[in-house]
Structures are given as C-alpha cells and as structure tokens.
Amino acid sequence: MVVVCHGVAVGPSPCNPGSGSAAAAGADYAFLSPVKQTRSHPGGTFLGWERFAEWTAPLRLPVYALGGMTVRDVETAWDAGAQGIAGIRGFQLPHA
C-alpha cells in the first residue's frame, strides 16, 4: 500500500523483509507491522522487536512500528531502530 498525503510524503506499509524496495521506489517513510499482538487480530502472528530490528536495519528511510503499539512502546521501538510508533487503538482514550 502506498500513501500520498497532499503530494508530499509517500510511504508503504510493508509486511515482509522485501520492504527494502520502499526506498528504491522513492518512499519517504515506511510502516512495518504487526510488531506485537493486536486487539484487531487476536491470535495472529506478529514480528516481535527482534525481527523488526533485523528487517529494518538495512533500510535507509524512517520506519514506524505499527501493530499493538501503546505509548509505553516508544523507547523499545527506538532501541529497535524505529523512527517512532503508529497506531489507532493504543492511543484512544477509554470511553466514559
């Protein structure tokens, strides 16, 4: 998947180590997921931080960790080489 935001940033959301082609395709950034177990896919497979680090190490563009992220994952993501984290549910406030 490629996202174009106002014609400025382009980034794919890869799910395999072939994501190195993202930089070759001119992407400005990439998302790699799922790093952790997610609420939307319980029981599904996920990368884990070790594999995330292995897959992103050779890339020459910012990679954001996606999948099961919460604010508590930021430092772990940085340690694994991520530019940062992204998500939806992990950042939503609980319903009143």
Side-chain angles (χ1 to χ4, degrees):
M1 181 172 101
V2 175
V3 178
V4 178
C5 182
H6 304 288
V8 177
V10 178
S13 298
C15 293
N16 62 54
S19 63
S21 62
D28 297 311
Y29 63 89
F31 293 107
L32 183 57
S33 80
V35 178
K36 295 172 50 181
Q37 190 78 286
T38 67
R39 286 186 263 168
S40 60
H41 297 90
T45 58
F46 54 95
L47 297 168
W49 289 114
E50 185 175 331
R51 187 175 301 155
F52 179 93
E54 290 172 7
W55 286 9
T56 59
L59 301 181
R60 299 293 170 240
L61 74 164
V63 179
Y64 292 86
L66 180 64
M69 298 292 103
T70 69
V71 295
R72 292 181 292 256
D73 292 302
V74 172
E75 289 191 30
T76 303
W78 289 337
D79 290 343
Q83 178 72 27
I85 61 174
I88 298 172
R89 287 183 183 90
F91 303 106
Q92 292 175 331
L93 296 174
H95 290 85

